[in-house]
Amino acid sequence: MSADPNAPDILARTSNGQIRPRPQAKSARPQRFVWPAPPYYEFSDAAAAAAADECLLIFRNGAKAAGAIVDFLSDEALIRFRGRDAADSINIAFSSLLGIHLLQPVALKRQPVRIDDSEELLIPSEDQPFAVELVNGHTLKGETIGHVHALCGLFLFLPERDGAVTRWFVPAEATRSISIGKPIGEMLVEEKLASAEVVDAALEKQQALRTRRFGDYLTEHQIVSPEQLAAALKQQRAQPMQKLGETLVELGYLTESELHEALAIEARDRSVPLGKILADMGVVDGEVVNAVMAKKLGIPFVSLTNFRIPPEVLRRIPAGMAERFQTLPVAEAEGSLVVAVENPMDMAKLEGLRFAAGTKLLPVMASGEDIRAAIERSYGQAQESPVATVRKSADVGIGELTHRLAAETADADLDEQHSAAQDSTLVKLVNKMILDATEQQASDIHIEANPAGRSMRVRFRKDGALVTYLELPAKFRKAVVSRLKVMCQLDITERRKPQDGKIEFRRFGPVDVDLRVVTIPTAGGLEDVVMRVLAPATPVPIGELGFDAHALEQIKRLIARPHGLFLVCGPTGSGKTTTQHSLLGHLNTPDTKIWTAEDPIEIAQPGLRQVQVNAKIGWTFAAAMRSFMRADPDIIMVGEMRDAETAKMGIEASLTGHLVLSTLHTNSAPESVVRLLDLGMDPFNFADALLGILAQRLVRKLCPDCKTGYAPSGPQLEELAMEYCDESKGDPGKILHGWRSQPKGITLYRAKGCARCDRTGYKGRMGLYELLVADAHVKRLVQTRAPVQVIAAAAAANGMRTLKQDGIDKVIRGLTDLQQVRTV
């Protein structure tokens, strides 16, 4: 099957039959996907095997579809499939499939396996029985000539006539259990490589291993340094996930019948772990379960006596929680907190710890004696530190506070009395939520109360995207909302209409931050709360906003004029205020008087005279403008021209010798002209005053640490050039020629995800810009009230790049991807 030229890697089979990604060399051309052959075999005709892409898909809902596999993307857990009568291919996720059957039989030939000149080594029997229990309850049975067990799923090879096989693939998500081949002892006896007596003796020795002490089992490979731990965790991630029962059966500690009996008991009571059920049955010792899983999955065993734990890691779990759960935080890795526990298979304990700590956990193993001694030693030292004493309350995690609150309130619903008690756990929980939002640089906090007893969800908006921060039991929803109302002095008894307020958090916590709060009634008599975090910010230098050199030079030239009107437009949350303050920072000199009217004041700059407007008392943008005109200004910045009076005052100020900066909520620079004319502005005065209009959007930047590059195909570049020229009516061929003439060629990038970017693939945001310069031609069009399309065409002819063009240029430069550009 042919691979997409954009695919970053293909599959390769290692010596033990595992499938792993093989990165392509930078200079190599895109390679074809190679369907794996079973271990110790190869396809007789490799070309025919690669070309046989006719297949039958079996879906989880029972449906089937015949067609061709265009590409097999194991890393993304999907295939690209084209139906027999379809013209285009579609993406199908592994999660929707039970299996893929390649219809074309292929011939196999055995590879001889020797060491030096010795006899050929033992290989598995040609026909191995297999049974795969699927998630729909059915079982796939038969015989296979070898198999390949990959992270993405299971590859089977069902024998046909004349040495040929048909190939099957079963995704990992579609399987419950897998059994392949005969027991090794039976195979040894069949091949006459061992007698039945020898096999029985080996089984007796294996049985003796069941009583081997857990500490003795793992002492040989103890970890005593963070570097060793990081290496062990990396090795663990490379191993496939295994189920406890399957692993015990595979290693001979358990029979299939014993496993089925234990699973039947577990099905009746899901609260009891399988390992405890097996121990209660007397089949497997509990310590053996721990040791076997550690050995099979590579769970690291840490010697806490010599392990160095950083103080900031130790603060992630308070001493009381560590004592209660008998666990110790030892490191941070891959966005998770690594914790040492005596039994990593105690899922109930780990889930309780995860909930209390409010973070992802990665368990490693340590002896109980080591953990108890390390807790006393580590937290005893930490409590002696003055810094730790001061930060003790702030270091309590949100999960621990939630756990305490649940324990304090039992089954009762919280009421308004809890919201007023200053020392209650509820107050600490709300404060911690705001502190975490500030620390994580979230722009908004969304608190969503759900009806029908469903939990309350708290989400943060970070880099423009909403991420779940916390889920609280439904009984807390009214008390949390009431507490926030108390903090911003709103009416806690009014739940039928929205309310606006402001929290000055310096009165409640150690951070100087304000929050703009709105409460909105929702279904079922509940309320949602959205808080905008107004953290103190500093202006970004104008050269770091992301303008290209030509646009930056034009903007500096326009705002250097002594009078005129310069507008910044875009939707809410597109960075207009940041841009305005960057322009003011460039203009802010000791010989210049600058007045600003803002709602609210989000960025403070020394040298500016900043005014907070308040419409409730009549102190509006227009009123502030009138006052500014009598206060000897050089430059006036108005937060927003939201009405005709403010717009008229701004135009008049710009015509009387002042430079005026303001914003509009419009989609593009040419549309801003029509919007102001629709507000009733005189077209001649407006045309005379206008200097330029900057439209902008914010897109997420690709994480520089994990973004992956690929070479786009010819048709993809042509489509991108067509999209680049769609709005400006430019020449796609000329644009394409310019891209292809670059010395290093074109490399585009995809988001991947790593610990530094919280597995999102994106880190930070950047601006896309569209600058309309009001030259003589554009001014004449404004005076004649020309349509948006005519103004846009004139601006494009004068060199204006649209928002999409600026975005595609930044995609070509590897700063973001097409998905982000198309989203905004």
Side-chain angles (χ1 to χ4, degrees), residues 728-806:
S728 63
K729 309 301 180 185
D731 182 4
K734 184 178 179 181
I735 296 297
L736 195 60
H737 176 73
W739 289 344
R740 286 174 171 166
S741 63
Q742 295 184 14
K744 296 183 180 180
I746 297 295
T747 301
L748 303 184
Y749 291 86
R750 292 191 182 96
K752 182 180 179 182
C754 65
R756 290 180 178 271
C757 60
D758 293 333
R759 301 292 172 191
T760 62
Y762 301 96
K763 190 173 181 66
R765 289 194 289 176
M766 66 184 303
L768 306 183
Y769 301 102
E770 175 182 283
L771 177 62
L772 183 150
V773 177
D775 59 4
H777 188 192
V778 170
K779 288 178 181 289
R780 284 195 298 272
L781 294 174
V782 173
Q783 291 170 349
T784 58
R785 295 181 179 271
V788 172
Q789 296 82 356
V790 177
I791 297 175
N798 193 34
M800 182 187 79
R801 290 194 313 168
T802 65
L803 287 164
K804 179 172 284 188
Q805 288 174 336
D806 190 42

Side-chain angles (χ1 to χ4, degrees), residues 644-672:
E645 186 180 7
T646 305
K648 184 177 179 181
M649 290 289 299
I651 293 174
E652 289 179 359
S654 65
L655 292 173
T656 55
H658 308 94
L659 178 65
V660 178
L661 307 180
S662 189
T663 69
L664 280 175
H665 284 87
T666 52
N667 292 323
S668 68
E671 286 182 29
S672 301

Side-chain angles (χ1 to χ4, degrees), residues 139 239 411 652:
T139 302
Q239 300 195 36
D411 296 328
E652 289 179 359

